[in-house]
Each structure stands twice: as C-alpha cells, then as structure tokens.
Amino acid sequence: MNVSKLVQLKPEEEVILVVHQSLIPWWPKFLLAILWVLLPFFLLFPLFQMRFWGVMIFLALLASGAIYAWRTFLAWHRSIFIITDRRIIDHDQRGLFSRVVSEAPFSTIQDVSYKISGFWPTVLRYGDVTVQIRGNAVNLEIFHVRRPHHVHDLLNDLRLDLEENSENP
C-alpha cells in the first residue's frame, strides 16, 4: 500500500511498518456484502417478471450491495497504523467520506500496551494495541491487529532508542 496517498510524510522520513487490522473480525461484514451483491441474482426471474419496476429493484439492490461492499473494503483497507522512524500515524477510515488522522511523535509516547482477550483472539493471535500519549492528548488505538506483541515491542524499542539518543548527544 502506498501510504503517501493517505498521509504526508516529512522530508527524509521512512516508513518502518504499516499495520492493518486482521480480516478475521471483519468476516461478518464481508459475508454480508457478498450476500447483498448476490441477492439480486437469486431474485432475477421474479424481479424481471415485474418488468420495469423489477429491473429497477434489481439495479437498486445490486448498486446498494456494491456500495456497501466498497465501503466495507475501504474501511478495512484504509484503517491503518503507520510507524515511521519519527512518529506514529493512526489513519482511521470511518466511511466513504469520513476519516480521522492522528499522529504522535515518539517523544510524546508515555506507554504502549496491547490486549488479547477472548478465545478466538487468543487462538488466532490478534488483539488491540494502545499508545498512551503524555498530556491531554487522545490515546492512539488500533483494534484487531495480528500479532500485537510485535507492534508493542517495535514501538517500545523505537521509543527507548529515542530516549537513549536524546540523553547521550
């Protein structure tokens, strides 16, 4: 994925890791999208017997299913956590025309934690990562991440490296 289309990187800033949500918790929404797109084809003959209005209902069902499928895909695909060598960027796609982008430099990170709770998340190794920011800033969170302990370790290592470099100029 080309993150430069979603966020503006600073000069000489390198992307270390792009973290997506796991597809596993999204399967009900994707299954609904597939069924919604296929539904008009199962009703093809009864709808076409209704002539004009049947064709309109067919097209409306097909178009709304395609829009829902596209919206669901974009919400999953563009909800990412970008870890660069200087900061963390949380890009949340909430709908077709709604997104929230938050960022935090490593110097403002107070704590990084992850949580895996439940049978399926434990078995399938996905969980939530929370980055606590100093001050009154909102915490950065990404949910349903595969192997959240890797993201946790990477963020803590980058944060500690920055602290050590700032203490030893």
Side-chain angles (χ1 to χ4, degrees):
M1 167 178 225
N2 188 1
V3 296
S4 62
K5 290 182 180 179
L6 297 177
V7 295
Q8 181 71 32
L9 295 176
K10 296 184 180 187
E12 299 179 15
E13 184 175 25
E14 291 183 33
V15 175
I16 296 173
L17 182 66
V18 177
V19 181
H20 280 278
Q21 294 180 350
S22 174
L23 278 172
I24 296 165
W26 284 79
W27 77 264
K29 290 184 179 185
F30 282 115
L31 181 64
L32 177 62
I34 291 167
L35 291 175
W36 196 342
V37 169
L38 293 177
L39 176 68
F41 294 102
F42 287 111
L43 302 173
L44 187 69
F45 292 116
L47 287 174
F48 279 16
Q49 287 177 352
M50 296 170 55
R51 304 204 178 178
F52 176 76
W53 290 110
V55 171
M56 291 294 119
I57 292 170
F58 174 83
L59 292 175
L61 285 171
L62 188 62
S64 63
I67 290 169
Y68 179 75
W70 183 248
R71 179 189 176 279
T72 303
F73 173 75
L74 281 181
W76 170 78
H77 186 65
R78 290 191 173 176
S79 291
I80 57 176
F81 218 53
I82 303 166
I83 301 171
T84 70
D85 56 349
R86 297 180 185 179
R87 60 188 171 147
I88 305 168
I89 305 166
D90 183 11
H91 185 278
D92 289 328
Q93 188 77 30
R94 303 258 170 101
L96 287 176
F97 305 108
S98 174
R99 76 178 73 166
V100 176
V101 179
S102 305
E103 68 176 72
F106 288 122
S107 60
T108 63
I109 295 175
Q110 183 173 345
D111 184 43
V112 180
S113 61
Y114 72 93
K115 176 179 77 170
I116 300 174
S117 62
F119 177 75
W120 289 115
T122 302
V123 170
L124 299 172
R125 297 184 187 141
Y126 67 88
D128 306 334
V129 176
T130 303
V131 179
Q132 188 175 6
I133 309 299
R134 288 187 181 104
N136 295 332
V138 176
N139 293 340
L140 302 180
E141 297 177 322
I142 186 162
F143 302 103
H144 312 301
V145 177
R146 291 194 56 189
R147 297 185 182 96
H149 57 281
H150 290 306
V151 177
H152 171 267
D153 292 343
L154 175 65
L155 288 173
N156 273 330
D157 289 346
L158 290 169
R159 180 174 61 98
L160 292 174
D161 285 347
L162 178 72
E163 287 176 3
E164 289 174 3
N165 289 340
S166 65
E167 290 174 3
N168 301 324

